Amino acid sequence: MSVPSRASFAPAPLNISWLFRPTKTEVDVAARPSDGLVVFSVMWGVAMMLSAASHMHLLGGHSGMLLATVTWSALIAAGLLLMSPRKTTLLALVAALMIVQYALRMPASSNNQTIALFMNIGLLTALGSQALRNRSSGGRRDAVYEQVRVIARALLATMYFYGVFHKINTGFLDPTTSCATALYEPLTRPFGLDETLIGLYGAIVATFVVETIAIVCLYWRRFFWVGLLVSLPFHYVIPISGFSWYMDFSSLVFALYMLSVPREVASGLYSSGMALVHRAPKLRAGISAGLALGAALTVAASIVIALSNFFPGRGEQQLWHSVWLLFWAVFGGTAMVLIVRAALLEQPYDEETSRISQPWWIYAIPTALFVSCMSPYVGLKTESSIAMFSNLHTEGGATNHLLFSKPPYLFDYQARAVRVLDSSSPAIRELAKDGTYGLVEHDVAIRLSHNPKLWITYEMNGRRYDRVTAATFSGRRPNWVERKLLDFKPIDWARPKVCTH
Amino acid sequence: MVILNAIELLPQSGAKLAVSLRLSPCHQMFGERLEARPEGIVNGSWKSWIIAATAVLMLVGIFVAVFNLPIVTGDAPQ
């Protein structure tokens, strides 16, 4: 029997008491279990839209028309998914386009986009496997929902685990260099609290506490709401620092939480969303969402354009970032309030009395991410390992991590680390002038191969190499697989290690 | 496999219809659970304070965001 796609509900009055008391409309909206997938699709649409929008140079065609086409297609498809979150084909299309975009850009440095890749692979695999089983569409969505819930929660747990583990180093624990304080200062500057010692140390401690609580509560059903209350505000405020494009990361976390929450919480969010949509009974749900999205972006752009009159000479990237940051401040805040509301309305949660057995590949996907993120310690890639803004250093056979006296390399990519002394590139020369700028030899080879006229003077293992070009480079030249899978951060030889990506 | 015990049509007052998908007892959906406690969250309870605080955080976040916009600070995002 199919569930009606829409019922005629009388809209409830909109007042502040709605925050604390569900309306009759919400109670009357009956949700299938897989309507949690509808809620997830809305947030995933926003996350993928923000991810695509973060690549301004790709959208502008600076990396070729193929990537521009795929990125624009992903952006549009994500917007359509936001408007029609029930459409399974749209969800599959967004996942596929984002996977293709990632593959074309490999090696991709972004950690959250790597996490999204694994989630998109899980989505496509679950959707595909259920499509092959020839179930009814409702049955398929129920089964997909149960499968991707497992993947999403494990990906979140992996993210929080490394969010703590990678930061156990001397650089992160030092308030003069910690990335925690780099984010704390812009958030508290409007209140004059940016230079308080308690605040600076508090930001460092809070990072560990928040992420530890988050990972524990992910799997402790009774206190899941505690982890939610701690994590959502944390992830909401990070992009507001303006320090970097964090909106896609935060919305990704929100989306993964939509699949990780108890089913009754997800159904509550669905009911709340439907109740809000039914306030405009003359509009179809998709059009309402589209209008809301368009209105939000238009208002944000208008504000930014108005501000540009007071702050002339700003670049396109700053304008673009500002529009989407404002969008996140409103959308992310609204989502946070609604999620917290649903979580508390439904608390205490029922205990799980039965577990649904899942195929082995469900667990293989997050396990692959977990293993991949060990890369910095075994001598492989230092980018795309959930080590962002961790102050972690593992290059050159030494590490500032407190649990290792030296990194347990299985591969020697990071052992072959150079100190850059000079270059024909003005940008590299500027970075190298104080003698603390370095690269792994793999990275030197890549950079030289991209520009035959470029030369770099560097020192490696006590030996100096003067004006090395692609033609005269005598080191190991990476093969295709190494070029695609390995990406390394530039090395900062300064101690303590300051906050970089 | 999710066990579906029954699908019921529950006539409501007026012309409204609600379809309730009843699962195994451990998975009662939002509406069924809240019918048992329609009062929602009691005003002044710790839950209401948390929800209110979250709403305030959103408003503060929007305020702070305006000050941290790259177009305002002039900073190039990392």
Side-chain angles (χ1 to χ4, degrees):
Chain A
M1 184 177 295
S2 62
V3 176
S5 60
R6 182 187 170 94
S8 58
F9 300 113
L14 183 64
N15 56 44
I16 197 69
S17 66
W18 176 80
L19 275 177
F20 313 113
R21 187 169 297 114
T23 63
K24 186 69 166 62
T25 306
E26 289 179 87
V27 174
D28 283 345
V29 172
R32 290 180 71 96
S34 59
D35 284 325
L37 200 58
V38 174
V39 174
F40 165 75
S41 294
V42 170
M43 190 57 75
W44 197 246
V46 171
M48 295 304 101
M49 201 163 56
L50 286 166
S51 179
S54 70
H55 300 292
M56 199 177 162
H57 63 290
L58 296 183
L59 293 169
H62 299 294
S63 295
M65 288 313 299
L66 177 59
L67 258 174
T69 303
V70 173
T71 306
W72 274 110
S73 300
L75 185 64
I76 293 167
L80 291 174
L81 180 63
L82 184 64
M83 293 163 56
S84 301
R86 286 189 181 281
K87 293 208 186 299
T88 311
T89 47
L90 266 180
L91 182 60
L93 178 62
V94 169
L97 285 169
M98 293 304 292
I99 291 171
V100 169
Q101 196 234 38
Y102 188 97
L104 290 172
R105 289 189 299 115
M106 285 178 73
S109 304
S110 169
N111 297 274
N112 72 79
Q113 290 168 12
T114 298
I115 298 171
L117 170 74
F118 281 84
M119 190 65 222
N120 282 321
I121 290 174
L123 280 168
L124 265 194
T125 311
L127 289 167
S129 70
Q130 292 306 318
L132 290 174
R133 285 171 183 255
N134 202 29
R135 282 199 178 108
S136 67
S137 63
R140 275 205 301 269
R141 284 181 66 86
D142 288 342
V144 166
Y145 177 60
E146 292 302 327
Q147 288 181 341
V148 297
R149 279 171 55 82
V150 176
I151 297 173
R153 186 154 54 168
L155 290 178
L156 267 181
T158 300
M159 184 192 78
Y160 283 125
F161 172 81
Y162 284 108
V164 170
F165 188 78
H166 285 324
K167 293 184 175 73
I168 306 173
N169 64 72
T170 53
F172 192 83
L173 296 174
D174 183 342
T176 61
T177 56
S178 177
C179 288
T181 57
L183 295 174
Y184 167 82
E185 284 166 348
L187 287 170
T188 53
R189 193 172 296 124
F191 308 102
L193 299 173
D194 49 308
E195 293 183 358
T196 61
L197 208 55
I198 290 177
L200 294 174
Y201 276 105
I204 294 169
V205 171
T207 304
F208 287 105
V209 170
V210 165
E211 298 198 297
T212 302
I213 291 174
I215 190 173
V216 168
C217 292
L218 270 177
Y219 289 98
W220 195 355
R221 186 177 173 86
R222 183 179 171 193
F223 293 104
F224 187 93
W225 62 276
V226 174
L228 207 62
L229 284 182
V230 163
S231 302
L232 292 187
F234 178 74
H235 289 291
Y236 170 63
V237 301
I238 287 177
I240 290 171
S241 67
F243 187 75
S244 184
W245 186 289
Y246 287 125
M247 291 80 77
D248 53 346
F249 167 56
S250 291
S251 54
L252 165 81
V253 172
F254 274 47
L256 294 180
Y257 262 111
M258 294 303 91
L259 288 176
S260 304
V261 294
R263 295 173 189 78
E264 50 267 45
V265 175
S267 73
L269 279 165
Y270 171 81
S271 298
S272 304
M274 291 299 289
L276 285 172
V277 164
H278 287 307
R279 291 184 190 282
K282 292 186 179 176
L283 295 178
R284 293 176 57 205
I287 297 176
S288 299
L291 284 177
L293 174 64
L297 289 173
T298 302
V299 169
S302 303
I303 292 172
V304 169
I305 290 171
L307 285 172
S308 67
N309 293 319
F310 298 95
F311 303 96
R314 302 302 195 215
E316 283 179 351
Q317 191 175 358
Q318 291 164 317
L319 287 168
W320 185 248
H321 187 150
S322 299
V323 170
W324 290 100
L325 199 162
L326 267 181
F327 170 79
W328 169 255
V330 176
F331 175 84
T334 305
M336 177 179 63
V337 172
L338 289 176
I339 295 167
V340 168
R341 175 181 177 272
L344 290 178
L345 275 173
E346 286 300 301
Q347 196 269 339
Y349 311 125
D350 293 328
E351 291 299 322
E352 295 265 7
T353 59
S354 61
R355 293 202 178 275
I356 302 168
S357 94
Q358 301 290 0
W360 65 269
W361 56 263
I362 293 287
Y363 304 97
I365 293 173
T367 301
L369 176 66
F370 187 89
V371 171
S372 166
C373 293
M374 291 182 187
S375 295
Y377 304 105
V378 300
L380 289 173
K381 60 185 174 73
T382 51
E383 289 282 23
S384 212
S385 301
I386 314 187
M388 62 284 188
F389 302 107
S390 64
N391 294 91
L392 180 67
H393 169 84
T394 55
E395 298 94 343
T399 182
N400 60 354
H401 199 285
L402 294 177
L403 299 184
F404 299 102
S405 56
K406 66 174 192 175
Y409 288 162
L410 299 177
F411 304 87
D412 68 346
Y413 295 98
Q414 290 184 49
R416 304 174 70 83
V418 313
R419 187 182 298 266
V420 177
L421 301 174
D422 197 4
S423 175
S424 59
S425 159
I428 296 178
R429 182 181 296 141
E430 179 67 23
L431 289 166
K433 65 181 182 183
D434 62 357
T436 61
Y437 182 70
L439 299 166
V440 296
E441 189 189 49
H442 169 101
D443 213 354
V444 172
I446 298 281
R447 288 170 187 250
L448 291 176
S449 70
H450 286 160
N451 183 357
K453 295 183 181 176
L454 174 67
W455 59 260
I456 301 176
T457 295
Y458 58 88
E459 186 180 80
M460 186 172 81
N461 295 331
R463 183 179 165 187
R464 184 181 171 108
Y465 297 80
D466 279 299
R467 299 195 168 215
V468 177
T469 65
T472 60
F473 179 72
S474 59
R476 189 188 302 159
R477 296 178 189 264
N479 58 37
W480 185 85
V481 173
E482 290 169 324
R483 285 173 177 269
K484 281 296 177 183
L485 294 182
L486 300 179
D487 196 14
F488 297 90
K489 300 180 186 183
I491 303 172
D492 181 2
W493 293 109
R495 294 292 174 268
K497 186 181 183 313
V498 297
C499 183
T500 54
H501 170 61
Chain B
M1 182 72 72
V2 173
I3 299 173
L4 308 178
N5 292 334
I7 297 176
E8 301 171 352
L9 279 173
L10 301 177
Q12 301 291 315
S13 60
K16 289 185 293 185
L17 289 176
V19 175
S20 174
L21 188 66
R22 199 168 294 281
L23 303 183
S24 57
C26 67
H27 293 313
Q28 287 185 308
M29 286 297 111
F30 184 73
E32 294 162 326
R33 291 165 59 85
L34 287 183
E35 279 175 339
R37 44 176 202 276
E39 72 280 3
I41 291 174
V42 176
N43 285 346
S45 68
W46 61 272
K47 291 182 181 178
S48 68
W49 280 110
I50 290 174
I51 296 176
T54 308
V56 168
L57 176 62
M58 179 183 82
L59 297 174
V60 171
I62 294 171
F63 171 75
V64 173
V66 174
F67 283 93
N68 286 332
L69 293 177
I71 193 174
V72 172
T73 63
D75 292 335
Q78 297 282 335

